[in-house]
Amino acid sequence: MNVFITGGTGYLGPATIAALNAAGHSVSALVRTPREVPGATTVLGSLTDLDVLRSAASHADAVIHLAADYGGDGARVDREAALAMLSASGVYVHTGGVWVYGDTDGIADEDAPQNPPAIVAWRAENERLVLEAGGRLVMPGLVYGGHAGLIEQFFAGPLQYIGDGANRWPLVHREDIADLYVRALDAPAGARYLGVGPGEPTLREVVGALGGSSSISLEAARASMGPIAEAFALDQRFTSARAHTELGWTPRFPDPLGELARPR
């Protein structure tokens, strides 16, 4: 396939492009400014350039949407970009995330009720529209690997966990989730897949792996981190049995704490 990808220069992009190339796919990647993207040709534009997105999607066999707009109107930008690409593409894979489920009661799967914190509440409607229109949805856990994700961004400073830190985090290595995106190209229309790796470390264990050992209240975390603190305080457990059964996806990285503890 020729696969058009947004977010090719972001945290997940390089790993996903490498996984697509390894599977024999060619890749074109959206870029906002002229630049080289290893493993891909480039398409100049942004998520608000809907004509560019439609054209690129129509010339590809499939689309993987990884990019996000972090402006104040990000929900609308994401929705319009997604539906523009989906309408022009034969196969469309959208990025979701596990935070939309809120705290889980036991081990949850894709069909569990959702109760998102405010910071990701907008995702639920966009994801519903994508699925109803025949898109595929990949829902990663909190992604780690390469010391460049949200974990290091928010916890590499004071190295404090929130509250008692006993809440569990569903983690996934970025190379494992990249493999799931590739496999989702063969999924049926309307399918969604949770992508979480083995183990359910607590926030306290994650911070300990990074070298921290002290606590911060949720109120203090909100003050220093903003609304994302509510998401980091969620207690979540998930199964990726559907991705394993239907797509043959098996994570290869079993030791997130060991990876996080490696010197930067």
Side-chain angles (χ1 to χ4, degrees):
M1 286 186 180
N2 175 27
V3 181
F4 174 58
I5 185 172
T6 70
T9 60
Y11 180 49
L12 293 181
T16 304
I17 292 172
L20 286 165
N21 291 161
H25 302 298
S26 59
V27 182
S28 56
L30 185 71
V31 295
R32 286 178 291 183
T33 58
R35 61 181 297 177
E36 295 291 326
V37 177
T41 60
T42 58
V43 175
L44 189 62
S46 73
L47 290 182
T48 58
D49 296 325
L50 300 185
D51 288 340
V52 172
L53 298 180
R54 290 190 192 96
S55 177
S58 69
H59 287 91
D61 300 305
V63 172
I64 296 177
H65 180 31
L66 300 176
D69 183 286
Y70 295 104
D73 206 13
R76 180 189 61 80
V77 171
D78 178 79
R79 179 175 61 256
E80 292 182 354
L83 295 179
M85 292 184 287
L86 197 159
S87 67
S89 173
V91 175
Y92 174 83
V93 180
H94 191 76
T95 297
V98 299
W99 282 347
V100 295
Y101 290 97
D103 291 317
T104 62
D105 182 12
I107 300 174
D109 65 10
E110 290 84 353
D111 300 322
Q114 297 185 356
N115 183 28
I119 195 170
V120 295
W122 61 270
R123 283 190 174 276
E125 177 64 10
N126 287 10
E127 291 167 9
R128 182 186 67 79
L129 292 172
V130 164
L131 291 172
E132 287 182 352
R136 292 87 173 150
L137 180 63
V138 171
M139 308 181 77
L142 191 56
V143 184
Y144 71 95
H147 300 304
L150 287 177
I151 296 173
E152 286 82 6
Q153 181 180 343
F154 284 92
F155 290 90
L159 296 174
Q160 295 171 312
Y161 50 86
I162 301 170
D164 64 6
N167 57 301
R168 288 156 294 191
W169 273 9
L171 303 183
V172 64
H173 194 281
R174 65 176 177 175
E175 292 183 23
D176 281 333
I177 201 65
D179 177 51
L180 182 53
Y181 279 109
V182 176
R183 292 172 183 269
L185 295 173
D186 295 321
R192 59 179 169 172
Y193 299 98
L194 287 164
V196 298
E200 296 163 340
T202 65
L203 172 54
R204 185 168 185 166
E205 290 171 333
V206 169
V207 170
L210 293 169
S213 60
S214 61
S215 171
I216 186 173
S217 69
L218 180 56
E219 292 72 21
R222 289 193 195 102
S224 63
M225 298 179 180
I228 199 171
E230 300 279 356
F232 286 135
L234 293 174
D235 183 31
Q236 297 187 308
R237 302 174 69 196
F238 293 100
T239 174
S240 291
R242 181 178 296 176
H244 177 74
T245 300
E246 297 185 6
L247 302 179
W249 182 66
T250 301
R252 298 181 296 111
F253 292 84
D255 184 21
L257 297 180
E259 172 79 14
L260 291 168
R262 290 179 182 172
R264 289 155 187 76

